[in-house]
Amino acid sequence: MYETIKSQDPGVYGSMIAEAKRQSEGIELIPSENYVSQAVLEANGSILTNKYSEGYPGKRYYGGQENVDVIENLAIDRAKQLFGAEHANVQPYSGSPANTAIYFALLEFGDTVMGLRLDHGGHITHGLPIAFSGRAYHFVQYGVNPETGTIDMDEVRKMALEHKPKMIVAGFTAYPRDIEWKKFKEIADEVGALTMADISHTAGLIAGKALESPVPYFDVVMTTTHKTLRGPRGAIILCKEKYAKAIDKAVFPGLQGGPHEHAIAAKAVAFGEALKPEFKEYAMQVRKNAYHLAEEMKKRGFKLVSDGTDTHLILADLTSRNVPGKLAQQALDETGITLNKNTVPNDPRSPFDPSGIRLGTPAVTTRGMKEAEMEKIAEWIDRVIADAENTANLKTVKKEVEELCSKFPVPGIKL
Ligand code: DSN
């Protein structure tokens, strides 16, 4: 791999190969990560990175657009087909710029917006007070029910009636359950609010028909393209036709300059893959694997937020295991199992060393792992957490992890 970089720039090459080894010899459980196909890698690393193309297909500011126009139109058409959307903008550089563009398009600074609290699973762009969203708009934030760990729709309605938001944001970055899109829409309609869905985590499951879609109900839906959707780093915005002009104007020239056409080509390729029947099987298996992993963890005494999962994502509270999230992440890292420390709702600990861990199944499912492997993974996590500072224990698990991984190649990696 990377022969030209090897001879030209050994410094960068060394770390790229080390990362390829890490990705293929370890078990990737960060729920927002995945492995893209060779075709997506090729498009993303292509000569399209050389081209500037401010504007939109057919309406650009520079010459030489005959090829990128075709590619961007393919990405737009496939995104619309995949999600049944009226309009798609495929230019957002990533999730945070996409969310910012939506707010910029449809709100005035200072408007009231409702979003899920960061420490209950929301994203920084859903109104974190120190983030741009929280500074530029008046966010009021709903949370999860302390008993059930699920979004309390009665609280959402109560807050909506009290604060009369201009927009309600639904979606998450660390929440294991499906979202009641229809109910959110009903509440928004009751108070005359716009609806915005952030499906960054579950877009692949929605595209693969393994979860319900907010697209028929919501005014605007956005997603990053690199999580369950298995595309390149980036994002797209889908919306009803009546918001199309405002959204496009907010993305360019409102917020961004030249679109990254290499990433847009990779999005088009990924959407083409997601439109194939086998992607539905993938989406279903991601959910099955997550359910199985959650059940196997519960059998071993792990306490899960909301007691399980509907999606690809699991949030475990390690308080009863007396191991803080940071130590758990570090110890698992030593064995080649990668996940992230995470706050749990109403966490008494700091976000730098919270009580929980967040894990998920998109990447292991791409490798072809199924229920039997989920059982092994749960067993390894249990063994590591039970004796997190025992180097010999970690070494034994690492060997077993590497042995399993050698049987499940990663797309795009040939060592
Ligand atoms: N960093 C992403 C995640 O891990 O969920 C969200 O931006």
Side-chain angles (χ1 to χ4, degrees):
M1 286 172 83
Y2 312 134
E3 286 303 313
T4 315
I5 303 177
K6 184 179 180 182
S7 57
Q8 183 182 316
D9 196 332
V12 172
Y13 171 79
S15 294
M16 284 179 74
I17 287 295
E19 176 59 15
K21 258 171 85 76
R22 189 195 69 77
Q23 289 189 15
S24 66
E25 289 174 2
I27 290 176
E28 185 54 73
L29 294 177
I30 293 176
S32 47
E33 294 189 13
N34 212 333
Y35 304 109
V36 298
S37 69
Q38 182 64 31
V40 169
L41 283 175
E42 283 178 17
N44 207 38
S46 69
I47 47 85
L48 292 163
T49 195
N50 298 340
K51 187 74 198 110
Y52 254 126
S53 47
E54 280 95 334
Y56 290 99
K59 264 198 247 160
R60 308 276 194 187
Y61 289 84
Y62 300 172
Q65 307 294 342
E66 59 271 33
N67 305 308
V68 294
D69 272 7
V70 174
I71 288 166
E72 190 165 332
N73 275 329
L74 272 173
I76 291 168
D77 291 345
R78 289 177 187 176
K80 283 162 66 177
Q81 190 187 341
L82 194 55
F83 292 98
E86 290 176 19
H87 179 76
N89 185 309
V90 298
Q91 293 193 358
Y93 299 143
S94 205
S96 299
N99 286 355
T100 308
I102 294 168
Y103 302 149
F104 192 49
L106 304 178
L107 303 172
E108 297 300 328
F109 293 129
D111 275 349
T112 299
V113 190
M114 271 174 62
L116 179 61
R117 282 170 57 166
L118 180 84
D119 57 341
H120 285 211
H123 190 247
I124 47 177
T125 55
H126 300 173
L128 179 70
I130 56 163
F132 177 81
S133 56
R135 294 274 300 276
Y137 305 97
H138 173 236
F139 265 86
V140 286
Q141 297 197 287
Y142 54 91
V144 301
N145 181 300
E147 303 299 320
T148 61
T150 57
I151 292 172
D152 189 335
M153 294 309 289
D154 290 335
E155 191 203 354
V156 172
R157 181 168 180 267
K158 213 172 118 212
M159 285 181 70
L161 290 171
E162 185 188 337
H163 296 283
K164 299 269 184 308
K166 180 135 173 227
M167 176 186 278
I168 298 180
V169 179
F172 60 80
T173 193
Y175 178 72
R177 295 293 176 177
D178 199 6
I179 302 280
E180 295 181 76
W181 304 116
K182 214 168 157 202
K183 211 149 186 188
F184 265 105
K185 173 66 175 154
E186 282 164 14
I187 293 169
D189 282 349
E190 218 179 324
V191 299
L194 292 163
T195 42
M196 187 269 225
D198 179 341
I199 58 166
S200 294
H201 265 264
T202 49
L205 307 184
I206 291 167
K209 313 276 182 249
L211 283 179
E212 199 197 6
S213 171
V215 172
Y217 311 115
F218 273 49
D219 296 309
V220 189
V221 176
M222 63 71 60
T223 179
T224 50
T225 43
H226 47 271
K227 298 186 174 89
T228 49
L229 197 49
R230 220 162 56 182
R233 283 193 173 260
I236 56 170
I237 300 173
L238 310 165
C239 65
K240 302 282 185 222
E241 194 57 49
K242 68 173 172 175
Y243 302 112
K245 260 198 183 135
I247 291 290
D248 285 353
K249 228 172 106 190
V251 173
F252 173 84
L255 208 71
Q256 297 188 174
H260 295 175
E261 293 296 341
H262 58 297
I264 289 173
K267 287 173 194 177
V269 172
F271 301 157
E273 291 173 357
L275 281 163
K276 292 191 176 146
E278 49 268 37
F279 195 81
K280 286 198 178 78
E281 282 165 39
Y282 166 70
M284 268 305 175
Q285 192 62 47
V286 169
R287 277 193 72 189
K288 278 190 205 161
N289 280 352
Y291 176 80
H292 203 75
L293 181 56
E295 290 303 305
E296 290 296 324
M297 287 177 74
K298 278 159 64 177
K299 266 193 215 160
R300 290 164 175 81
F302 283 94
K303 192 171 168 282
L304 306 185
V305 173
S306 85
D307 200 37
T309 178
D310 297 323
T311 60
H312 62 301
L313 186 151
I314 297 165
L315 196 54
D317 183 343
L318 301 180
T319 308
S320 61
R321 302 290 301 253
N322 285 321
V323 176
K326 191 172 163 189
L327 175 60
Q329 179 189 302
Q330 280 166 352
L332 285 159
D333 244 351
E334 295 289 318
T335 69
I337 296 175
T338 314
L339 44 65
N340 66 280
K341 60 180 190 271
N342 215 97
T343 48
V344 294
N346 307 310
D347 202 326
R349 300 177 62 92
S350 117
F352 294 108
D353 190 6
S355 303
I357 48 173
R358 186 186 71 148
L359 59 158
T361 53
V364 288
T365 309
T366 293
R367 287 179 95 150
M369 293 186 189
K370 294 215 163 109
E371 285 86 341
E373 287 74 40
M374 298 308 113
E375 194 175 330
K376 280 196 174 132
I377 292 171
E379 185 208 311
W380 286 325
I381 294 173
D382 185 36
R383 275 164 57 193
V384 169
I385 303 288
D387 206 358
E389 286 168 297
N390 177 345
T391 316
N393 179 37
L394 304 185
K395 272 195 178 143
T396 313
V397 173
K398 185 176 169 63
K399 246 183 110 191
E400 292 173 29
V401 166
E402 280 176 8
E403 208 178 298
L404 180 80
C405 286
S406 67
K407 298 184 192 124
F408 293 90
V410 171
I413 298 184
K414 286 183 214 92
L415 290 165

